[in-house]
Amino acid sequence: MAVRANEITVPRGRPGAAARVRQWLDGESVLGPVFVTPALLLLLLLVAYPFVMAVYFAMSNAFIGRPSHWVGLRNFIALWDSDIFRQTFQNAFVFTGISVAFKVVLGITLALLLNEQLWFKRMIRGAVLLPWVIPTALSTLGWWWMFNSLYSVVNWTGIAMGLMDPPGPNWLGQKYYAMAAVITVNVWRGLPFFAITILAGLVSIPRELYEAAEADGAGANARFWHVTLPLLKPVLAVVVLFSTIFTFSDFNIVYVLTRGGPITSTHLFATLSRVVGIDTGRIGEGAAISLYLFPLLVFVVWAQLRFVRKQVY
């Protein structure tokens, strides 16, 4: 008698232990936490733990080699009695404001040039990234040599072109010249980040908008102010946000060039925090200096992200 295929019964046994474990791991409720846990551990160890320790030190009288005690906000309040801290507070805003303003203007200009049809465009775009690729300490040492009071290439060039009187300014030994020097190096260092990011925004603008504006009789300036700049606002907001945070917390450039001198005229929060917290051993005061602008920067981040969200949606 013939047997139909659908009449054949296949014996079904219970799956093995390995199959049950594999099936359990494939479940979304298990697989998601398994993938997220390593990243969460890294964030806790490398971000959350140092931040919590910094907050604890800032609210204590921690000193290297002796027990610490809780003092609340006393370190933050006592800092205003220090002339050096008040000078540092002023330096940070001058340094950040002028640097970011120059980087915005020069970054937009450079991005517009790189967006044009140029010979060796790819090579030029790659060369623009060099200041960002070279280690900061190494490139700043080169600038230290160029601003050196005896071997300054800047002074030699200025004197040769008739722009300066011999022997030229002492760039790193005078108050305002030293601030100009550290701002110059910071702008040189941060300009590629602005230029390449803004260039990415420029490339994404549809060419039809420019063609329509040109057909309506708009010149180059009108196309920039009414087409390019409005569409670049979200990109500019993000770039300025990141640059403001990085510039406020800059350490390498100032420490290598001037170490905060002459007479604390170029100290920033990071360099003063290093001197107070590490060189003199007052960990609590050093942590308080480094965290002083944290609430302000959190507000800046919140405001910028809110602005970007409004521009996008």
Side-chain angles (χ1 to χ4, degrees), residues 117-179:
Q117 295 299 324
L118 303 171
W119 288 357
F120 310 110
K121 185 162 59 175
R122 291 182 180 177
M123 186 182 298
I124 294 173
R125 287 180 177 180
V128 169
L129 287 174
L130 277 178
W132 214 36
V133 174
I134 302 172
T136 308
L138 183 63
S139 60
T140 307
L141 277 176
W143 279 99
W144 176 84
W145 176 74
M146 287 193 284
F147 286 126
N148 186 274
S149 58
L150 295 178
Y151 311 106
S152 173
V153 175
V154 177
N155 283 0
W156 182 87
T157 306
I159 293 170
M161 296 176 67
L163 301 175
M164 299 177 185
D165 295 326
N170 183 2
W171 288 98
L172 303 179
Q174 293 176 281
K175 183 177 177 180
Y176 297 112
Y177 287 121
M179 180 58 79

